[in-house]
Amino acid sequence: MRKNKGRFNFAQNALLGCAVVALGACTPSTAENTQLSAKELDSYQRQLAERLKDPVERSKLIAKVMGSTVEDERHAFLKFHVFGFAGDGNIIPFFTMNNYVVQKWAPDGEDGDFIVQHYEVAYYSKFDEEEPIDTFENPLTGEIVEIPHFVLGPLSRQYTAERSDNRATFAPDPLNITMIGNRVYIPTLTTLAFPNRMPPGDWGPYDTGPMTYWDSMLVFSADVEDVFNDKLTHTDAEMHMQNLVSWAPYLKVGQAPGRTMVRAYGQHISGYDALPANIRKNLEKHTPEIFDIEGWTETRIDSLDLVNDLMEKRAKGTLDIDQPGYVPSKVKLPATPSG
């Protein structure tokens, strides 16, 4: 049976870190950015409606916007602005993630199924800036915490022509695909709840409770003329994302109420050379893995790396919370959001 084919088994890959759902990259379209008439827009609306009726054609359209309909490597860059919300008051700016993704797309047969190999990294910077940071003064506690730069992959994902209501996957079937103006929009929704991987023992403020909750909404959009240009195998898509995720252990807020919220925006790019020079320099310094994906064969999952690091520090007697006189900071709500 093909019923379960292509479904991402999250129970076997818990704590995959940053929600990043399928991303890709593409070379810029050569089509001119001209205003479409009402008649042309209506024609494209009708074409979209017809294509979405066919599961295979719908799946190929999704692959074309998210990645590629042929075997190819896609790149994308996004800015993630990370905020804290403790259950009351305004959201509080935390820091920024400068996120780079490489994906290898390939069709799996002729029936609209696709296989994706996903590689993702990010270096952390001051909020809305590019300057890298390795530590962060958490405004909820006043404590300076270490921030591990983000490395995730390689991970396999599959997309199929079969429709599913399952949202507990990083490769979900998109929500209703729509056309607004001259752009086609493909929204996705991922909703996850899974056990934390913190080992048994007293981990104080690193222990964020038995479960992690992850809600992520990513929207891809592409020019309608590119989407229906049969000569193109991929489009120059833009991406916008919001998510709500349980506190990361490194924030050291324990089981206090609240989550982090991300507002992200970006697009497919042609490759490493399309990055701003300063962004590329910082990625090369802090997350060099992404520049050698052929040599990147060992799977890295950022949240598991953090757990292993904490366990190693405890074994060596260097874990901060184990030191004499350590007093956990109390979580408080700042009077005003910090910048």
Side-chain angles (χ1 to χ4, degrees), residues 43-61:
S43 175
Y44 279 125
Q45 287 275 16
R46 294 173 184 273
Q47 289 182 61
L48 178 62
E50 284 300 313
R51 191 160 296 191
L52 295 179
K53 292 178 181 178
D54 185 325
V56 173
E57 290 302 313
R58 177 181 179 273
S59 183
K60 290 180 178 179
L61 184 149

Side-chain angles (χ1 to χ4, degrees), residues 146-148 198 203 206 248-251 301-313:
E146 295 182 11
I147 301 182
M198 289 296 293
W203 294 94
Y206 289 112
Y250 62 76
L251 291 172
I301 299 178
D302 68 301
S303 52
L304 298 185
D305 286 348
L306 173 64
V307 169
N308 291 334
D309 181 63
L310 293 176
M311 293 178 66
E312 289 178 7
K313 288 180 177 179

Side-chain angles (χ1 to χ4, degrees), residues 6-57:
R7 292 295 140 208
F8 188 83
N9 188 348
F10 188 79
Q12 296 176 345
N13 296 277
L15 290 178
L16 293 184
C18 177
V20 178
V21 287
L23 303 176
C26 61
T27 54
S29 167
T30 57
E32 294 182 4
N33 185 20
T34 56
Q35 183 106 10
L36 294 175
S37 67
K39 184 176 180 180
E40 289 171 320
L41 290 173
D42 181 68
S43 175
Y44 279 125
Q45 287 275 16
R46 294 173 184 273
Q47 289 182 61
L48 178 62
E50 284 300 313
R51 191 160 296 191
L52 295 179
K53 292 178 181 178
D54 185 325
V56 173
E57 290 302 313

Side-chain angles (χ1 to χ4, degrees), residues 75-311:
H75 293 230
F77 178 74
L78 296 94
K79 284 276 189 179
F80 284 57
H81 295 318
V82 184
F83 303 82
F85 181 66
D88 192 16
N90 295 112
I91 58 174
I92 303 162
F94 274 11
F95 39 72
T96 291
M97 292 177 67
N98 302 275
N99 185 271
Y100 197 90
V101 173
V102 177
Q103 288 190 331
K104 293 182 178 182
W105 282 73
D108 184 18
E110 299 294 329
D111 55 359
D113 294 349
F114 295 88
I115 299 174
V116 181
Q117 284 290 107
H118 181 89
Y119 307 78
E120 180 181 359
V121 301
Y123 80 86
Y124 290 88
S125 63
K126 294 181 178 180
F127 184 82
D128 202 24
E129 297 184 20
E130 294 180 1
E131 180 183 347
I133 56 174
D134 296 308
T135 60
F136 164 69
E137 183 176 348
N138 189 338
L140 292 176
T141 63
E143 185 170 359
I144 295 176
V145 299
E146 295 182 11
I147 301 182
H149 296 290
F150 182 87
V151 180
L152 176 68
L155 297 172
S156 295
R157 297 173 180 171
Q158 289 183 311
Y159 295 84
T160 76
E162 297 175 355
R163 302 295 296 269
S164 171
D165 293 330
N166 181 22
R167 303 298 170 203
T169 167
F170 278 112
D173 185 78
L175 303 176
N176 286 328
I177 299 169
T178 188
M179 179 179 158
I180 303 174
N182 68 334
R183 298 190 72 79
V184 174
Y185 289 84
I186 302 180
T188 69
L189 173 61
T190 296
T191 300
L192 303 169
F194 49 90
N196 277 336
R197 287 291 184 90
M198 289 296 293
D202 182 11
W203 294 94
Y206 289 112
D207 184 356
T208 57
M211 298 291 292
T212 290
Y213 298 96
W214 189 294
D215 298 279
S216 183
M217 297 138 282
L218 175 64
V219 180
F220 296 79
S221 74
D223 186 277
V224 67
E225 292 180 281
D226 289 346
V227 172
F228 288 99
N229 183 345
D230 292 334
K231 295 181 181 179
L232 298 179
T233 59
H234 57 275
T235 66
D236 191 4
E238 295 182 357
M239 288 152 273
H240 294 266
M241 185 185 75
Q242 288 179 290
N243 70 24
L244 284 171
V245 182
S246 297
W247 299 123
Y250 62 76
L251 291 172
K252 296 176 71 174
V253 293
Q255 299 179 38
R259 293 192 189 187
T260 52
M261 186 195 88
V262 163
R263 176 73 174 95
Y265 54 93
Q267 68 175 59
H268 296 138
I269 61 176
S270 58
Y272 306 115
D273 291 341
L275 287 168
N278 192 47
I279 294 287
R280 178 166 181 166
K281 179 188 69 175
N282 291 327
L283 286 169
E284 288 175 339
K285 178 180 179 180
H286 296 284
T287 57
E289 296 88 347
I290 201 65
F291 295 95
D292 180 23
I293 60 172
E294 299 305 324
W296 181 358
T297 57
E298 181 181 355
T299 299
R300 296 277 304 279
I301 299 178
D302 68 301
S303 52
L304 298 185
D305 286 348
L306 173 64
V307 169
N308 291 334
D309 181 63
L310 293 176
M311 293 178 66

